[in-house]
Amino acid sequence: MAARADWLPPRAPDGPVIRTVEMHAGGEPLRVVLPGGVPGLEPEGGLSVLALRRRLLASPELDRLRRLLMHEPRGHRDMYGALLVRDASLEAAAGALFVHNEGASSMCGHAVLCLGRLALDYGLCPPRPTGSGEAPVILRCPCGPVVAMVPWDGQRSGSRVRFHSVPAFVSVTNLPVDVPGYGKVMVDVAYGGAFYAFLSAETLNLDVCSSKLRDLVDAASAVTEAVKAQFKVCHPLIEDMNFIYGTILTDGKDAFSDEPTSNICVFADAQEAKCGDHKAVIVEVSGESFYTGTSTFTIEENDPLKYGFLLK
């Protein structure tokens, strides 16, 4: 006898049933929970997405749900997710909380590429196509509103999406930092939805294209911790953004050129603009995103690993 489409396996009577849409952009996974899919995460009383991010990080119950979705056996160390909430102002398609293996981030480019499509295909906002065949989608992220431009043929979205991010600016250049195991190095610190340290991998006697991935990750992580300890970042408008999120190792080709460059971004374990007193730019990013399926997750009360684990 075939199981019904809405059949669920044996589960804890009071346990969550979480349904997700699975996507990826350039191979980076995204597990999306639609608005209303996470109990206790709706923005009642006009709470901002930034305030909801604080609630997510402070709540043991919500953190268990994050681990359930991101960690083994349902996820993995490199899993990434977006928990969507209804936008109280009704100006955006949704608010987006970005989650990963150790917490929640303030911005995610590959997630925005996916969520722009999902917002149209799942009816989170009405499509308003422009003359170019694209429909704008506003997503309210913890770092601020982001506008995605999504191909729309009247029936479904196209895979190639572009978006304008929040104002990006340089916080400091040529900052000397003592990195244990690597000595004193010079880094730049810049903001584009989160603060990152930037430096050439060559400074650390590495190459982003040929060095072992483990060596690159270890070096970047060491830089991140050193910068956190030795430099205090300050966003001119959003106090909750005052933290170093990760390190980006470049191939050293930092001068502007049409030639492609390589870098590795390690985080979690040309319009003129202004951001406070900082000169800033609005960056346009484009890429392709695709659907890979849907999932339904449950728990059994006697499962010792029901909220997940990580292999390191």
Side-chain angles (χ1 to χ4, degrees), residues 1 11 18 21 24 27 35 37 39 58 60 64 109 116 118 140-141 157 170 172 176 210 212 222 240-241 260 263 284:
M1 177 177 171
R11 66 193 191 280
I18 301 179
V21 180
H24 81 90
R64 282 197 291 267
L118 181 142
R140 202 168 296 281
C141 304
S157 66
V170 176
V172 64
S210 61
K212 292 180 179 179
D240 274 23
M241 295 294 101
N263 66 73
E284 179 174 300

Side-chain angles (χ1 to χ4, degrees), residues 24-109:
H24 81 90
E28 289 283 339
L30 186 70
R31 176 163 288 163
V32 186
V33 181
L34 295 174
V38 177
L41 203 59
E42 283 304 299
E44 74 279 354
L47 283 179
S48 69
V49 178
L50 199 56
L52 288 175
R53 177 179 177 270
R54 288 196 296 270
R55 174 189 287 181
L56 173 67
L57 294 174
S59 166
E61 293 80 10
L62 292 175
D63 191 61
R64 282 197 291 267
L65 293 178
R66 174 191 63 81
R67 289 186 281 118
L68 180 154
L69 291 169
M70 296 295 104
H71 290 189
E72 301 269 7
R74 301 173 186 86
H76 50 80
R77 184 171 179 80
D78 298 318
M79 178 57 74
Y80 207 90
L83 312 180
L84 300 186
V85 297
R86 296 177 182 88
D87 180 53
S89 70
L90 302 180
E91 296 175 356
L97 291 164
F98 306 117
V99 294
H100 46 67
N101 65 58
E102 71 168 9
S105 57
S106 54
M107 173 58 184
C108 178

Side-chain angles (χ1 to χ4, degrees), residues 5-285:
D6 60 351
W7 179 86
L8 291 173
R11 66 193 191 280
D14 299 325
V17 176
I18 301 179
R19 293 179 168 85
T20 66
V21 180
E22 309 289 321
M23 303 184 73
H24 81 90
E28 289 283 339
L30 186 70
R31 176 163 288 163
V32 186
V33 181
L34 295 174
V38 177
L41 203 59
E42 283 304 299
E44 74 279 354
L47 283 179
S48 69
V49 178
L50 199 56
L52 288 175
R53 177 179 177 270
R54 288 196 296 270
R55 174 189 287 181
L56 173 67
L57 294 174
S59 166
E61 293 80 10
L62 292 175
D63 191 61
R64 282 197 291 267
L65 293 178
R66 174 191 63 81
R67 289 186 281 118
L68 180 154
L69 291 169
M70 296 295 104
H71 290 189
E72 301 269 7
R74 301 173 186 86
H76 50 80
R77 184 171 179 80
D78 298 318
M79 178 57 74
Y80 207 90
L83 312 180
L84 300 186
V85 297
R86 296 177 182 88
D87 180 53
S89 70
L90 302 180
E91 296 175 356
L97 291 164
F98 306 117
V99 294
H100 46 67
N101 65 58
E102 71 168 9
S105 57
S106 54
M107 173 58 184
C108 178
H110 93 270
V112 170
L113 296 176
C114 294
L115 294 177
R117 295 193 64 190
L118 181 142
L120 293 180
D121 293 329
Y122 279 75
L124 301 185
C125 64
R128 297 185 177 91
T130 64
S132 65
E134 295 175 315
V137 174
I138 302 174
L139 298 167
R140 202 168 296 281
C141 304
C143 62
V146 174
V147 181
M149 300 299 294
V150 184
W152 180 253
D153 65 5
Q155 299 294 324
R156 58 172 292 180
S157 66
S159 62
R160 181 161 290 279
V161 179
R162 60 190 180 93
F163 69 88
H164 287 173
S165 191
V166 295
F169 60 87
V170 176
S171 176
V172 64
T173 59
N174 296 321
L175 174 72
V177 179
D178 288 313
V179 183
Y182 300 91
K184 181 172 287 187
V185 299
M186 308 296 284
V187 305
D188 300 335
V189 178
Y191 177 87
F195 282 102
Y196 280 89
F198 294 77
L199 73 163
S200 168
E202 186 179 4
T203 306
L204 305 169
N205 297 315
L206 296 168
D207 184 285
V208 293
C209 296
S210 61
S211 294
K212 292 180 179 179
L213 180 60
R214 185 72 263 167
D215 292 341
L216 292 165
V217 170
D218 289 345
S221 299
V223 171
T224 298
E225 294 308 311
V227 176
K228 284 181 179 179
Q230 299 169 45
F231 180 70
K232 181 174 176 59
V233 296
C234 181
H235 192 285
L237 303 176
I238 312 173
E239 186 177 349
D240 274 23
M241 295 294 101
N242 294 344
F243 59 92
I244 293 288
Y245 189 56
T247 291
I248 295 177
L249 302 179
T250 76
D251 60 6
K253 301 174 183 177
D254 297 331
F256 177 77
S257 169
D258 290 333
E259 293 296 316
T261 61
S262 300
N263 66 73
I264 179 171
C265 177
V266 180
F267 63 91
D269 176 24
Q271 293 173 318
E272 287 303 322
K274 294 281 285 184
C275 188
D277 293 330
H278 293 280
K279 292 182 179 179
V281 294
I282 304 296
V283 178
E284 179 174 300
V285 179

